[in-house]
Short mmCIF file of all heavy atoms in Angstrom, two decimals:
data_model
loop_
_atom_site.label_atom_id
_atom_site.label_comp_id
_atom_site.label_asym_id
_atom_site.label_seq_id
_atom_site.Cartn_x
_atom_site.Cartn_y
_atom_site.Cartn_z
N HIS A 1 89.12 86.16 105.43
CA HIS A 1 87.90 85.58 104.93
C HIS A 1 87.43 84.54 105.92
O HIS A 1 88.17 83.94 106.61
CB HIS A 1 88.12 84.92 103.57
CG HIS A 1 88.62 85.84 102.56
ND1 HIS A 1 87.79 86.77 101.92
CD2 HIS A 1 89.86 86.03 102.02
CE1 HIS A 1 88.51 87.45 101.05
NE2 HIS A 1 89.75 87.03 101.10
N SER A 2 86.15 84.32 105.92
CA SER A 2 85.58 83.29 106.77
C SER A 2 84.57 82.51 105.91
O SER A 2 83.69 83.11 105.33
CB SER A 2 84.87 83.96 107.97
OG SER A 2 84.32 83.00 108.80
N PHE A 3 84.73 81.19 105.87
CA PHE A 3 83.91 80.37 104.99
C PHE A 3 83.22 79.28 105.80
O PHE A 3 83.91 78.54 106.48
CB PHE A 3 84.76 79.70 103.90
CG PHE A 3 85.51 80.69 103.08
CD1 PHE A 3 86.87 81.02 103.40
CD2 PHE A 3 84.94 81.36 102.05
CE1 PHE A 3 87.57 81.93 102.67
CE2 PHE A 3 85.64 82.29 101.34
CZ PHE A 3 86.95 82.54 101.62
N PRO A 4 81.92 79.22 105.77
CA PRO A 4 81.25 78.17 106.49
C PRO A 4 81.45 76.81 105.80
O PRO A 4 81.49 76.73 104.60
CB PRO A 4 79.76 78.55 106.43
CG PRO A 4 79.64 79.42 105.20
CD PRO A 4 80.96 80.08 105.04
N THR A 5 81.62 75.80 106.61
CA THR A 5 81.74 74.42 106.07
C THR A 5 80.84 73.51 106.90
O THR A 5 80.54 73.80 108.04
CB THR A 5 83.19 73.93 106.15
OG1 THR A 5 83.59 73.92 107.51
CG2 THR A 5 84.13 74.77 105.33
N ARG A 6 80.41 72.42 106.32
CA ARG A 6 79.56 71.47 107.02
C ARG A 6 80.40 70.27 107.48
O ARG A 6 81.17 69.72 106.67
CB ARG A 6 78.43 70.98 106.13
CG ARG A 6 77.40 72.04 105.88
CD ARG A 6 76.26 71.86 106.84
NE ARG A 6 75.30 72.91 106.63
CZ ARG A 6 74.60 73.46 107.61
NH1 ARG A 6 74.76 73.06 108.82
NH2 ARG A 6 73.75 74.43 107.36
N ARG A 7 80.27 69.93 108.71
CA ARG A 7 80.91 68.73 109.22
C ARG A 7 79.92 68.08 110.17
O ARG A 7 79.52 68.71 111.17
CB ARG A 7 82.17 69.06 109.94
CG ARG A 7 82.90 67.86 110.46
CD ARG A 7 84.25 68.20 111.00
NE ARG A 7 85.12 67.10 110.69
CZ ARG A 7 86.40 67.11 110.84
NH1 ARG A 7 86.98 68.20 111.26
NH2 ARG A 7 87.10 66.04 110.61
N SER A 8 79.51 66.88 109.88
CA SER A 8 78.44 66.21 110.60
C SER A 8 77.21 67.14 110.57
O SER A 8 76.85 67.63 109.54
CB SER A 8 78.85 65.91 112.03
OG SER A 8 79.99 65.06 112.02
N SER A 9 76.61 67.41 111.71
CA SER A 9 75.46 68.26 111.73
C SER A 9 75.81 69.64 112.26
O SER A 9 74.98 70.51 112.44
CB SER A 9 74.35 67.65 112.63
OG SER A 9 74.85 67.49 113.93
N ASP A 10 77.12 69.89 112.54
CA ASP A 10 77.58 71.16 113.06
C ASP A 10 78.00 72.09 111.95
O ASP A 10 78.53 71.64 110.94
CB ASP A 10 78.74 70.98 114.04
CG ASP A 10 78.40 70.13 115.20
OD1 ASP A 10 77.24 70.11 115.64
OD2 ASP A 10 79.33 69.47 115.75
N LEU A 11 77.85 73.37 112.19
CA LEU A 11 78.38 74.34 111.25
C LEU A 11 79.73 74.81 111.78
O LEU A 11 79.87 75.27 112.88
CB LEU A 11 77.43 75.53 111.13
CG LEU A 11 77.83 76.63 110.15
CD1 LEU A 11 77.84 76.06 108.74
CD2 LEU A 11 76.84 77.78 110.21
N ARG A 12 80.77 74.69 110.98
CA ARG A 12 82.14 75.11 111.35
C ARG A 12 82.52 76.29 110.50
O ARG A 12 82.02 76.50 109.43
CB ARG A 12 83.12 73.96 111.08
CG ARG A 12 82.78 72.67 111.71
CD ARG A 12 83.13 72.68 113.17
NE ARG A 12 82.77 71.34 113.70
CZ ARG A 12 82.86 71.04 114.94
NH1 ARG A 12 83.29 71.93 115.79
NH2 ARG A 12 82.55 69.87 115.35
N THR A 13 83.49 77.03 110.97
CA THR A 13 83.99 78.18 110.19
C THR A 13 85.52 78.07 110.04
O THR A 13 86.20 77.75 111.01
CB THR A 13 83.69 79.53 110.94
OG1 THR A 13 82.24 79.57 111.08
CG2 THR A 13 84.13 80.71 110.15
N ILE A 14 85.99 78.34 108.84
CA ILE A 14 87.41 78.40 108.60
C ILE A 14 87.79 79.86 108.50
O ILE A 14 87.30 80.56 107.63
CB ILE A 14 87.77 77.67 107.26
CG1 ILE A 14 87.34 76.21 107.33
CG2 ILE A 14 89.27 77.79 106.98
CD1 ILE A 14 87.46 75.50 105.99
N LYS A 15 88.65 80.36 109.40
CA LYS A 15 89.01 81.71 109.41
C LYS A 15 90.45 81.86 108.99
O LYS A 15 91.27 80.98 109.11
CB LYS A 15 88.85 82.32 110.81
CG LYS A 15 87.43 82.34 111.26
CD LYS A 15 87.32 82.99 112.63
CE LYS A 15 85.87 83.03 113.08
NZ LYS A 15 85.70 83.65 114.37
N GLY A 16 90.77 83.05 108.45
CA GLY A 16 92.15 83.37 108.11
C GLY A 16 92.65 82.67 106.88
O GLY A 16 93.85 82.32 106.85
N THR A 17 91.81 82.43 105.93
CA THR A 17 92.26 81.76 104.69
C THR A 17 92.37 82.75 103.57
O THR A 17 91.74 83.82 103.58
CB THR A 17 91.32 80.61 104.30
OG1 THR A 17 90.02 81.15 104.12
CG2 THR A 17 91.29 79.55 105.36
N ASP A 18 93.16 82.38 102.56
CA ASP A 18 93.25 83.18 101.35
C ASP A 18 92.33 82.59 100.31
O ASP A 18 92.20 81.37 100.20
CB ASP A 18 94.67 83.15 100.80
CG ASP A 18 95.68 83.85 101.69
OD1 ASP A 18 95.33 84.79 102.36
OD2 ASP A 18 96.87 83.38 101.70
N LEU A 19 91.67 83.45 99.54
CA LEU A 19 90.76 83.01 98.51
C LEU A 19 91.27 83.48 97.18
O LEU A 19 91.58 84.66 97.00
CB LEU A 19 89.33 83.56 98.77
CG LEU A 19 88.24 83.14 97.82
CD1 LEU A 19 88.01 81.62 97.92
CD2 LEU A 19 86.97 83.90 98.13
N PHE A 20 91.42 82.55 96.24
CA PHE A 20 91.95 82.82 94.92
C PHE A 20 90.97 82.32 93.85
O PHE A 20 90.12 81.50 94.15
CB PHE A 20 93.27 82.07 94.68
CG PHE A 20 94.31 82.36 95.69
CD1 PHE A 20 94.48 81.59 96.82
CD2 PHE A 20 95.19 83.44 95.49
CE1 PHE A 20 95.47 81.85 97.74
CE2 PHE A 20 96.20 83.73 96.41
CZ PHE A 20 96.34 82.90 97.54
N SER A 21 91.11 82.85 92.66
CA SER A 21 90.33 82.28 91.52
C SER A 21 90.84 80.82 91.35
O SER A 21 91.94 80.46 91.81
CB SER A 21 90.49 83.10 90.28
OG SER A 21 91.86 83.16 89.95
N LYS A 22 90.09 79.99 90.69
CA LYS A 22 90.46 78.61 90.52
C LYS A 22 91.83 78.44 89.89
O LYS A 22 92.13 79.07 88.88
CB LYS A 22 89.43 77.88 89.63
CG LYS A 22 89.79 76.39 89.47
CD LYS A 22 88.80 75.63 88.76
CE LYS A 22 89.21 74.21 88.46
NZ LYS A 22 90.05 73.53 89.38
N MET A 23 92.66 77.65 90.55
CA MET A 23 94.00 77.40 89.96
C MET A 23 94.48 75.97 90.26
O MET A 23 95.47 75.57 89.70
CB MET A 23 95.01 78.41 90.48
CG MET A 23 95.28 78.31 91.97
SD MET A 23 96.55 79.41 92.54
CE MET A 23 95.63 80.93 92.66
N GLY A 24 93.78 75.24 91.09
CA GLY A 24 94.18 73.89 91.42
C GLY A 24 93.24 72.83 90.92
O GLY A 24 92.18 73.18 90.36
N GLY A 25 93.61 71.63 91.14
CA GLY A 25 92.75 70.51 90.78
C GLY A 25 92.90 69.41 91.80
O GLY A 25 93.65 69.52 92.77
N PRO A 26 92.21 68.28 91.56
CA PRO A 26 92.32 67.16 92.48
C PRO A 26 93.76 66.72 92.71
O PRO A 26 94.53 66.65 91.74
CB PRO A 26 91.50 66.03 91.80
CG PRO A 26 90.53 66.80 90.92
CD PRO A 26 91.28 68.00 90.45
N GLY A 27 94.14 66.55 93.93
CA GLY A 27 95.47 66.11 94.28
C GLY A 27 96.47 67.25 94.50
O GLY A 27 97.64 67.00 94.77
N ASP A 28 96.05 68.48 94.32
CA ASP A 28 96.97 69.65 94.46
C ASP A 28 97.09 70.14 95.87
O ASP A 28 97.86 71.05 96.13
CB ASP A 28 96.52 70.80 93.56
CG ASP A 28 96.83 70.53 92.09
OD1 ASP A 28 97.62 69.62 91.81
OD2 ASP A 28 96.29 71.23 91.23
N SER A 29 96.32 69.64 96.81
CA SER A 29 96.41 70.09 98.22
C SER A 29 97.86 69.92 98.66
O SER A 29 98.53 68.91 98.37
CB SER A 29 95.50 69.24 99.09
OG SER A 29 94.15 69.53 98.80
N GLY A 30 98.34 70.94 99.40
CA GLY A 30 99.72 70.94 99.87
C GLY A 30 100.66 71.69 98.92
O GLY A 30 101.80 71.92 99.28
N SER A 31 100.19 72.09 97.76
CA SER A 31 101.01 72.84 96.83
C SER A 31 101.18 74.27 97.35
O SER A 31 100.31 74.84 97.96
CB SER A 31 100.36 72.91 95.45
OG SER A 31 100.26 71.64 94.89
N VAL A 32 102.35 74.83 97.07
CA VAL A 32 102.64 76.22 97.45
C VAL A 32 102.14 77.14 96.38
O VAL A 32 102.39 76.91 95.18
CB VAL A 32 104.13 76.41 97.69
CG1 VAL A 32 104.46 77.87 97.95
CG2 VAL A 32 104.63 75.54 98.83
N ILE A 33 101.38 78.14 96.74
CA ILE A 33 100.89 79.18 95.81
C ILE A 33 101.87 80.32 95.90
O ILE A 33 102.19 80.80 96.97
CB ILE A 33 99.47 79.61 96.21
CG1 ILE A 33 98.47 78.43 96.14
CG2 ILE A 33 99.03 80.78 95.29
CD1 ILE A 33 97.10 78.74 96.71
N VAL A 34 102.40 80.74 94.76
CA VAL A 34 103.41 81.80 94.71
C VAL A 34 102.81 83.05 94.09
O VAL A 34 101.92 83.01 93.31
CB VAL A 34 104.66 81.37 93.97
CG1 VAL A 34 105.32 80.19 94.69
CG2 VAL A 34 104.39 81.01 92.54
N GLY A 35 103.44 84.21 94.45
CA GLY A 35 102.99 85.50 93.92
C GLY A 35 103.41 85.63 92.43
O GLY A 35 104.40 85.12 92.02
N LYS A 36 102.60 86.34 91.68
CA LYS A 36 102.82 86.53 90.27
C LYS A 36 104.07 87.34 89.98
O LYS A 36 104.83 87.05 89.06
CB LYS A 36 101.66 87.25 89.58
CG LYS A 36 100.43 86.43 89.44
CD LYS A 36 99.35 87.22 88.72
CE LYS A 36 98.08 86.43 88.56
NZ LYS A 36 97.02 87.19 87.86
N GLU A 37 104.29 88.35 90.80
CA GLU A 37 105.39 89.30 90.51
C GLU A 37 106.74 88.87 91.02
O GLU A 37 107.78 89.07 90.39
CB GLU A 37 105.06 90.67 90.99
CG GLU A 37 103.86 91.28 90.28
CD GLU A 37 103.46 92.64 90.84
OE1 GLU A 37 104.29 93.25 91.52
OE2 GLU A 37 102.35 93.08 90.55
N ASP A 38 106.75 88.23 92.20
CA ASP A 38 108.05 87.91 92.84
C ASP A 38 108.31 86.45 93.11
O ASP A 38 109.33 86.05 93.63
CB ASP A 38 108.22 88.73 94.09
CG ASP A 38 107.11 88.42 95.15
OD1 ASP A 38 106.28 87.54 94.85
OD2 ASP A 38 107.10 89.06 96.19
N ASN A 39 107.34 85.59 92.76
CA ASN A 39 107.43 84.15 93.00
C ASN A 39 107.65 83.81 94.47
O ASN A 39 108.16 82.73 94.79
CB ASN A 39 108.50 83.49 92.15
CG ASN A 39 108.11 83.44 90.69
OD1 ASN A 39 106.99 83.33 90.37
ND2 ASN A 39 109.12 83.56 89.85
N ALA A 40 107.30 84.72 95.37
CA ALA A 40 107.40 84.46 96.84
C ALA A 40 106.26 83.51 97.22
O ALA A 40 105.13 83.61 96.72
CB ALA A 40 107.31 85.76 97.61
N ALA A 41 106.52 82.59 98.19
CA ALA A 41 105.53 81.71 98.69
C ALA A 41 104.47 82.55 99.43
O ALA A 41 104.78 83.28 100.32
CB ALA A 41 106.13 80.67 99.62
N VAL A 42 103.19 82.42 99.02
CA VAL A 42 102.11 83.23 99.53
C VAL A 42 101.17 82.41 100.41
O VAL A 42 100.75 82.85 101.49
CB VAL A 42 101.32 83.89 98.39
CG1 VAL A 42 100.09 84.60 98.87
CG2 VAL A 42 102.17 84.75 97.55
N SER A 43 100.87 81.17 100.00
CA SER A 43 99.83 80.42 100.64
C SER A 43 100.04 78.94 100.34
O SER A 43 100.71 78.58 99.41
CB SER A 43 98.46 80.90 100.10
OG SER A 43 97.41 80.52 100.92
N LEU A 44 99.46 78.09 101.19
CA LEU A 44 99.49 76.64 100.98
C LEU A 44 98.09 76.17 100.58
O LEU A 44 97.15 76.30 101.35
CB LEU A 44 99.91 75.96 102.27
CG LEU A 44 100.25 74.48 102.17
CD1 LEU A 44 101.50 74.23 101.34
CD2 LEU A 44 100.41 73.84 103.58
N LEU A 45 97.95 75.65 99.38
CA LEU A 45 96.65 75.26 98.84
C LEU A 45 96.10 74.09 99.66
O LEU A 45 96.79 73.12 99.93
CB LEU A 45 96.84 74.84 97.39
CG LEU A 45 95.59 74.59 96.55
CD1 LEU A 45 95.90 74.83 95.08
CD2 LEU A 45 94.97 73.23 96.75
N PHE A 46 94.82 74.25 100.07
CA PHE A 46 94.19 73.13 100.79
C PHE A 46 92.81 72.73 100.39
O PHE A 46 92.30 71.72 100.76
CB PHE A 46 94.25 73.38 102.33
CG PHE A 46 93.18 74.30 102.84
CD1 PHE A 46 91.98 73.81 103.30
CD2 PHE A 46 93.39 75.66 102.83
CE1 PHE A 46 90.99 74.65 103.79
CE2 PHE A 46 92.43 76.52 103.30
CZ PHE A 46 91.24 76.03 103.79
N ALA A 47 92.14 73.55 99.55
CA ALA A 47 90.83 73.25 99.11
C ALA A 47 90.45 74.06 97.91
O ALA A 47 91.10 75.04 97.56
CB ALA A 47 89.79 73.56 100.24
N GLY A 48 89.37 73.68 97.24
CA GLY A 48 88.94 74.42 96.09
C GLY A 48 87.66 73.88 95.49
O GLY A 48 87.12 72.86 95.94
N SER A 49 87.25 74.50 94.44
CA SER A 49 86.02 74.10 93.75
C SER A 49 86.23 74.47 92.25
O SER A 49 87.30 74.85 91.86
CB SER A 49 84.80 74.76 94.31
OG SER A 49 84.78 76.15 93.94
N SER A 50 85.15 74.40 91.52
CA SER A 50 85.25 74.76 90.11
C SER A 50 85.38 76.28 89.95
O SER A 50 85.66 76.75 88.88
CB SER A 50 84.01 74.28 89.34
OG SER A 50 82.84 74.88 89.89
N LYS A 51 85.20 77.04 91.04
CA LYS A 51 85.25 78.49 90.95
C LYS A 51 86.35 79.15 91.75
O LYS A 51 86.74 80.27 91.42
CB LYS A 51 83.90 79.08 91.42
CG LYS A 51 82.74 78.68 90.53
CD LYS A 51 81.46 79.32 90.99
CE LYS A 51 80.31 78.87 90.07
NZ LYS A 51 79.06 79.49 90.44
N PHE A 52 86.85 78.51 92.79
CA PHE A 52 87.89 79.15 93.64
C PHE A 52 88.85 78.14 94.22
O PHE A 52 88.62 76.95 94.20
CB PHE A 52 87.23 79.97 94.72
CG PHE A 52 86.46 79.10 95.71
CD1 PHE A 52 87.09 78.57 96.82
CD2 PHE A 52 85.06 78.90 95.56
CE1 PHE A 52 86.40 77.77 97.74
CE2 PHE A 52 84.40 78.11 96.48
CZ PHE A 52 85.05 77.57 97.55
N THR A 53 89.93 78.66 94.74
CA THR A 53 90.98 77.89 95.47
C THR A 53 91.18 78.58 96.81
O THR A 53 91.24 79.79 96.87
CB THR A 53 92.26 77.86 94.64
OG1 THR A 53 92.04 77.19 93.41
CG2 THR A 53 93.39 77.21 95.40
N MET A 54 91.31 77.78 97.84
CA MET A 54 91.59 78.30 99.19
C MET A 54 92.98 77.89 99.64
O MET A 54 93.43 76.78 99.34
CB MET A 54 90.54 77.79 100.19
CG MET A 54 89.14 78.30 99.93
SD MET A 54 87.90 77.53 100.99
CE MET A 54 88.39 78.15 102.59
N GLY A 55 93.62 78.82 100.35
CA GLY A 55 94.95 78.50 100.86
C GLY A 55 95.14 79.05 102.28
O GLY A 55 94.44 79.95 102.72
N ILE A 56 96.10 78.46 102.96
CA ILE A 56 96.47 78.92 104.31
C ILE A 56 97.64 79.87 104.11
O ILE A 56 98.63 79.53 103.46
CB ILE A 56 96.91 77.73 105.17
CG1 ILE A 56 95.76 76.69 105.25
CG2 ILE A 56 97.33 78.22 106.57
CD1 ILE A 56 96.20 75.37 105.85
N PRO A 57 97.52 81.09 104.62
CA PRO A 57 98.58 82.08 104.45
C PRO A 57 99.95 81.52 104.93
O PRO A 57 100.04 80.85 105.94
CB PRO A 57 98.17 83.26 105.35
CG PRO A 57 96.68 83.15 105.41
CD PRO A 57 96.42 81.66 105.41
N MET A 58 101.01 81.71 104.11
CA MET A 58 102.30 81.14 104.41
C MET A 58 102.86 81.51 105.80
O MET A 58 103.43 80.63 106.47
CB MET A 58 103.29 81.50 103.35
CG MET A 58 104.52 80.58 103.31
SD MET A 58 104.15 78.80 103.29
CE MET A 58 103.35 78.58 101.72
N PRO A 59 102.63 82.75 106.29
CA PRO A 59 103.12 83.02 107.63
C PRO A 59 102.48 82.09 108.70
O PRO A 59 103.16 81.69 109.65
CB PRO A 59 102.76 84.48 107.89
CG PRO A 59 102.69 85.06 106.53
CD PRO A 59 102.17 83.95 105.64
N ASP A 60 101.22 81.74 108.49
CA ASP A 60 100.57 80.85 109.45
C ASP A 60 101.13 79.43 109.33
O ASP A 60 101.30 78.72 110.33
CB ASP A 60 99.05 80.80 109.17
CG ASP A 60 98.35 82.11 109.48
OD1 ASP A 60 98.97 82.97 110.16
OD2 ASP A 60 97.25 82.31 108.97
N VAL A 61 101.45 78.99 108.10
CA VAL A 61 102.07 77.67 107.89
C VAL A 61 103.42 77.63 108.54
O VAL A 61 103.73 76.66 109.27
CB VAL A 61 102.18 77.38 106.38
CG1 VAL A 61 102.95 76.06 106.14
CG2 VAL A 61 100.82 77.30 105.72
N VAL A 62 104.25 78.66 108.33
CA VAL A 62 105.58 78.68 108.93
C VAL A 62 105.48 78.63 110.47
O VAL A 62 106.22 77.91 111.11
CB VAL A 62 106.33 79.98 108.45
CG1 VAL A 62 107.57 80.23 109.23
CG2 VAL A 62 106.60 79.88 106.96
N TYR A 63 104.59 79.42 111.05
CA TYR A 63 104.38 79.42 112.49
C TYR A 63 103.93 78.06 113.01
O TYR A 63 104.53 77.52 113.94
CB TYR A 63 103.38 80.50 112.90
CG TYR A 63 103.14 80.51 114.38
CD1 TYR A 63 104.04 81.12 115.24
CD2 TYR A 63 101.99 79.92 114.89
CE1 TYR A 63 103.82 81.09 116.61
CE2 TYR A 63 101.75 79.93 116.26
CZ TYR A 63 102.66 80.52 117.11
OH TYR A 63 102.44 80.53 118.45
N ALA A 64 102.92 77.50 112.38
CA ALA A 64 102.37 76.21 112.84
C ALA A 64 103.39 75.09 112.74
O ALA A 64 103.40 74.15 113.53
CB ALA A 64 101.10 75.86 112.04
N ALA A 65 104.27 75.14 111.73
CA ALA A 65 105.26 74.09 111.53
C ALA A 65 106.58 74.39 112.22
O ALA A 65 107.51 73.61 112.10
CB ALA A 65 105.48 73.90 110.03
N SER A 66 106.62 75.52 112.97
CA SER A 66 107.84 75.92 113.69
C SER A 66 109.04 75.96 112.74
O SER A 66 110.16 75.54 113.13
CB SER A 66 108.11 74.98 114.87
OG SER A 66 107.04 74.96 115.76
N ILE A 67 108.85 76.50 111.55
CA ILE A 67 109.95 76.63 110.59
C ILE A 67 110.75 77.91 110.94
O ILE A 67 110.18 78.95 111.19
CB ILE A 67 109.38 76.74 109.13
CG1 ILE A 67 108.62 75.47 108.79
CG2 ILE A 67 110.49 77.02 108.15
CD1 ILE A 67 107.85 75.51 107.51
N GLN A 68 112.05 77.77 110.90
CA GLN A 68 112.91 78.91 111.16
C GLN A 68 113.80 79.12 109.95
O GLN A 68 114.33 78.17 109.37
CB GLN A 68 113.74 78.69 112.41
CG GLN A 68 112.95 78.61 113.65
CD GLN A 68 113.78 78.38 114.89
OE1 GLN A 68 115.00 78.27 114.81
NE2 GLN A 68 113.16 78.38 116.03
N PHE A 69 114.00 80.41 109.59
CA PHE A 69 114.83 80.71 108.46
C PHE A 69 116.15 81.31 108.95
O PHE A 69 116.27 81.91 109.94
CB PHE A 69 114.17 81.73 107.51
CG PHE A 69 112.93 81.14 106.88
CD1 PHE A 69 111.68 81.38 107.39
CD2 PHE A 69 113.04 80.36 105.72
CE1 PHE A 69 110.55 80.89 106.78
CE2 PHE A 69 111.92 79.84 105.12
CZ PHE A 69 110.66 80.08 105.68
#
């Protein structure tokens, strides 16, 4: 997905995010979103509104944080 965001007077784009129905609230950024069927970590919640929640796919989080299993 690609979602336009406003920052200053420039138009920015956030690419590679997961879009979910609303599930978070204020202060939930950084929460792990898990799958319904297997409880596997799917995404890291970072934004939302009254209609949707956005997350960073967990493989991208693992890569960016240099996490090794």
Side-chain angles (χ1 to χ4, degrees):
H1 302 284
S2 182
F3 304 96
T5 60
R6 288 264 178 215
R7 182 172 213 171
S8 300
S9 61
D10 299 332
L11 182 64
R12 307 281 181 184
T13 302
I14 301 171
K15 294 182 179 181
T17 58
D18 294 328
L19 183 64
F20 303 93
S21 58
K22 180 174 174 34
M23 65 177 79
D28 286 344
S29 293
S31 297
V32 174
I33 299 171
V34 297
K36 287 182 181 181
E37 296 178 16
D38 58 5
N39 289 328
V42 175
S43 197
L44 189 69
L45 191 154
F46 78 94
S49 73
S50 61
K51 296 182 181 182
F52 64 88
T53 296
M54 293 174 66
I56 302 168
M58 198 51 66
D60 294 342
V61 173
V62 169
Y63 178 77
S66 300
I67 298 170
Q68 296 180 356
F69 295 97

